[in-house]
Amino acid sequence: MADSSIVSKKDSFEHFQETSIFEDDDYFIYHKYTSSCSKSITSFDQILLSKSLSQKNEILYLHQHGNEPIDAKIIRAVAINCGSNVVSVCFSSMALTDKMVEGILPHLSQLRYLQFNGVNIGSVAARAISMFCHNTLKSLRVSGCHLITSESCGWLAGIIGHNSPCLRRLQALDVSETKTDDRGLAFLAKGLVQLEYLDLSTCPQLTFVGKGMLDSLRNGSFCSMVVLNMHDCKCVGDEGIVAIARAMPKLKHLNLSGCVHATNRS
């Protein structure tokens, strides 16, 4: 049993078996577990003050909200002391940097769910994520991180860099409200063919028919896709939608609201 001083919530993980990619809350991240396990949602300072930093049987969720202070020394201390127990991390502070991400990820050997909400991270953090989380990470959210670009997508997909690993277990990805364009999407299609959930909403440069994109779709990329959110992708038109329909036979949910160039033709 974990020290009560660090536990703010405890419940069965079964309650969060699956959450829609379209819901904008802390549990966007795709969950699909059949076994029950305990979890703790804690804050960084609570863990640091606790005497039981390395509970071997405790699964930890570390969620930091935007109105909470963030300190590189504190999050690094938490990662070093109990990183092997951490399965989920959420950051919402604008003070977070690429360097902080590089400093903590090597210690989070069991990380499955990683979420960044509108923070100032870019390709350096993306490279660190692919390097240190490629064997464990199942879902990643970088929504509103405006420094995330097509190069960042290339690092996540293992396309950029010599012998770079890809996130081979990743099933859900949210790159909404970033600078991802068709080049970045082509990287994802080539390197992350196993994706089931993808949120591309409010990526205004996407067309789905840009350089390399159609070839990737014709070669079987994204054939496992179940949910695709393209809300407010204003440059996506009929040709892109037809390409999606042909390439994604398992697709069940497609959000095209705000795609002003889509017509009845598609």
Side-chain angles (χ1 to χ4, degrees), residues 153-162 164-166 186-192:
C153 294
W155 283 110
L156 297 175
I159 304 299
I160 294 179
H162 181 64
S164 298
C166 70
F187 286 151
L188 298 177
K190 185 176 180 180
L192 301 178

Side-chain angles (χ1 to χ4, degrees), residues 119-165:
V119 302
N120 291 318
I121 61 166
S123 292
V124 173
R127 181 181 63 190
I129 293 168
S130 67
M131 182 178 298
F132 298 113
C133 304
H134 59 275
N135 284 325
T136 60
L137 201 65
K138 293 189 173 184
S139 56
L140 173 64
R141 186 179 197 177
V142 290
S143 177
C145 299
H146 297 295
L147 299 180
I148 293 293
T149 64
S150 291
E151 179 185 348
S152 310
C153 294
W155 283 110
L156 297 175
I159 304 299
I160 294 179
H162 181 64
N163 290 330
S164 298

Side-chain angles (χ1 to χ4, degrees), residues 236-239 241-242 245 256 259-266:
V236 174
D238 292 335
E239 186 179 1
I241 296 170
V242 170
L256 295 174
C259 296
V260 294
H261 294 293
T263 69
N264 291 334
R265 178 187 166 200
S266 55

Side-chain angles (χ1 to χ4, degrees), residues 13 18 28 40 46 59 64 66 70-71 80 86 91-93 95 107 110 118 152 156 186 189 213-214 225:
F13 198 85
E18 191 167 341
F28 149 84
S40 297
Q46 287 175 321
I59 294 178
Q64 179 272 332
I70 189 168
D71 185 285
I80 291 173
V86 175
F91 286 108
S92 301
S93 172
H107 305 286
Q110 302 301 317
S152 310
L156 297 175
M213 193 59 230
L214 288 177
M225 194 68 66

Side-chain angles (χ1 to χ4, degrees), residues 24-133:
D24 186 18
D25 56 31
D26 286 344
Y27 288 98
F28 149 84
I29 304 301
Y30 169 71
H31 302 298
K32 197 171 184 180
Y33 276 65
T34 55
S35 58
S36 175
C37 63
S38 64
K39 69 181 179 68
S40 297
I41 297 177
T42 69
S43 67
F44 295 112
D45 54 347
Q46 287 175 321
I47 293 180
L48 193 62
L49 293 172
S50 171
K51 295 180 180 179
S52 55
L53 285 173
S54 56
Q55 295 278 344
K56 290 187 177 180
N57 296 322
E58 189 67 36
I59 294 178
L60 297 177
Y61 273 48
L62 307 180
H63 285 193
Q64 179 272 332
H65 298 287
N67 58 353
E68 295 175 356
I70 189 168
D71 185 285
K73 292 181 179 178
I74 291 179
I75 61 174
R76 183 173 172 80
V78 171
I80 291 173
N81 283 281
C82 60
S84 61
N85 297 354
V86 175
V87 298
S88 176
V89 173
C90 173
F91 286 108
S92 301
S93 172
M94 290 295 289
L96 188 75
T97 65
D98 282 329
K99 188 174 181 179
M100 289 183 190
V101 176
E102 280 189 305
I104 64 171
L105 288 184
H107 305 286
L108 306 181
S109 58
Q110 302 301 317
L111 192 63
R112 299 170 192 166
Y113 314 111
L114 182 56
Q115 182 171 341
F116 300 100
N117 296 319
V119 302
N120 291 318
I121 61 166
S123 292
V124 173
R127 181 181 63 190
I129 293 168
S130 67
M131 182 178 298
F132 298 113
C133 304

